Amino acid sequence: MCSDYKDDGTNILLDANENAYGPSLSLKANAPVGQNRTNGTGSSTTPDMKLLLGLNRYPDPHQIELKQLLCSLRNTHTHTSKTLQPENLFVGVGSDEAIDAILRCFCVPGRDKILTCPPTYGMYAVSAQVNDLEVVKVPLNASKAFSLQPEAINEKLALDPHIKVVYLCSPGNPTANLISKLAIQKILEHPTWNGIVVVDEAYIDFASEGSSLANWVMEWPNLIVLQTLSKAFGLAGIRLGTAFTSPEIAALLNNLKAPYNISTITSALACQAMQPESLEVMRSNRSKIVKQRERMLAEMPKIPGIGRFLGGAESNFLLVEILDKPRNSGGQPNNEIALAVYEGLAENKGVVVRFRGKEPGCYGCLRITVGTDGEVDKFLEEMRTVLEEAYMGKLDMDNGIEDAKVANDIVA
């Protein structure tokens, strides 16, 4: 029976797109968290012990220091000459808080709708369901590397005034490809629709330099760009997400959040991650991940039963077809084999990946997070073994449609 396989301390977790190289923090024995942080003016903040002794007080509800550091990171001026300021930001408990807050801010339950482009991140639909909103879908074009279809989206928006928010994921999850800026601009330039366009950039730091559109919100008052410290920064455990947008939208989001949604410890760790030394750690770890990603792209096709890579490679994961027999024997993508391989890896080999075969355009696909050198060694070895076992009839193929749905519905 399929399940969301939990870690027992021995599993290799290549399922949730976490950073296997750890947190992007430069911590020295004589410089604990909080000691060497700056507030953007060059002055150092209080030492770690004073930070801990201050935990009897509620955290800063405004997080101006953290917001300034995040702005400094994203003020690349690649897409505008204007400069992000703290009033352009909302910070929340992961990107998921922002995803939900946007719906509560702009949509009326039971009446309004959102638009998504599957295959995509599952939390958009989950939050819509929680808020009693219908989801209108315009699938990505699977025949063209999962590209966005702005003309089809604009047609939907013109016909239905109850669609208030469009969620776009770039790089996509599970597709790992960037959405072109021009395609997004076509939606922003819609002649009659006046809703909100959300670009979720959770994986943007794995893409090429200058890809982030965070700074571009200065040019479009209805654009929101979401980011997180959970992926490239390796800080999934602190749950820190950001929304870059116009001051007017940021004010709305900040007014409806809980007063102290970001803890003192989360804020301190996030500020530490924005320091130059920690950014160097992030970039070093990112380089290691990219190196292993290139290795997987080169080595996986050598395994009999591995099909095409779909989408792109602008993230810390890959989407790949699993075939019903080796490619040189005419193998085709197959959900039954993919699901059996997913279960066989997790239950018998301690390697956990994601089954995505029920998503549009992803038939027979697994999504595999890029791990460390040693984890990739293990994955490649066990993938070869499990596929051999599948073709020899040694894996349980009696997993059924319901198991496939359960496995596919895991959100991460």
Side-chain angles (χ1 to χ4, degrees), residues 4 66 185 213 378 391 394:
D4 187 3
L66 173 57
Q185 185 168 336
L213 299 180
K378 176 73 170 175
Y391 298 145
K394 294 182 178 180

Side-chain angles (χ1 to χ4, degrees), residues 366-377:
L366 298 179
R367 191 197 70 191
I368 302 155
T369 305
V370 178
T372 64
D373 184 38
E375 289 173 338
V376 172
D377 285 343

Side-chain angles (χ1 to χ4, degrees), residues 66-266:
L66 173 57
K67 289 177 180 179
Q68 183 58 63
L69 290 167
L70 290 163
C71 287
S72 297
L73 178 69
R74 300 306 180 190
N75 272 324
T76 62
H77 299 112
T78 303
H79 305 287
T80 179
S81 60
K82 299 174 184 177
T83 299
L84 290 164
Q85 302 292 344
E87 55 263 31
N88 292 106
L89 260 70
F90 166 83
V91 292
V93 183
S95 296
D96 293 347
E97 182 178 1
I99 290 168
D100 180 72
I102 291 164
L103 299 186
R104 291 190 289 120
C105 189
F106 293 104
C107 300
V108 176
R111 187 192 75 181
D112 289 334
K113 307 172 185 179
I114 70 167
L115 187 146
T116 67
C117 301
T120 193
Y121 181 42
M123 277 305 298
Y124 313 141
V126 170
S127 290
Q129 183 179 25
V130 169
N131 288 281
D132 193 19
L133 304 170
E134 183 181 336
V135 180
V136 177
K137 299 178 181 179
V138 178
L140 299 173
N141 190 338
S143 65
K144 294 185 178 180
F146 292 107
S147 58
L148 195 70
Q149 302 190 79
E151 291 80 11
I153 292 171
N154 281 348
E155 185 175 336
K156 291 280 189 183
L157 298 179
L159 294 173
D160 194 341
H162 290 302
I163 300 174
K164 296 299 175 64
V165 181
V166 175
Y167 280 102
L168 308 174
C169 196
S170 179
N173 177 8
T175 57
N177 61 331
L178 281 168
I179 296 174
S180 78
K181 179 181 174 182
L182 179 60
I184 296 171
Q185 185 168 336
K186 288 179 180 179
I187 301 170
L188 289 166
E189 292 175 340
H190 196 289
T192 60
W193 183 74
N194 193 34
I196 304 298
V197 177
V198 181
V199 180
D200 188 345
E201 292 188 341
Y203 302 95
I204 197 66
D205 290 300
F206 297 107
S208 55
E209 291 291 333
S211 296
S212 175
L213 299 180
N215 204 209
W216 206 33
V217 303
M218 303 300 294
E219 301 294 335
W220 300 97
N222 61 330
L223 175 64
I224 302 175
V225 174
L226 304 181
Q227 294 185 356
T228 178
L229 298 190
S230 296
K231 305 303 179 181
F233 283 87
L235 291 169
I238 72 170
R239 307 304 298 127
L240 195 288
T242 64
F244 295 88
T245 187
S246 64
E248 294 80 8
I249 291 179
L252 290 171
L253 296 176
N254 283 311
N255 284 337
L256 63 79
K257 75 173 180 67
Y260 309 111
N261 63 330
I262 304 301
S263 75
T264 300
I265 299 300
T266 290

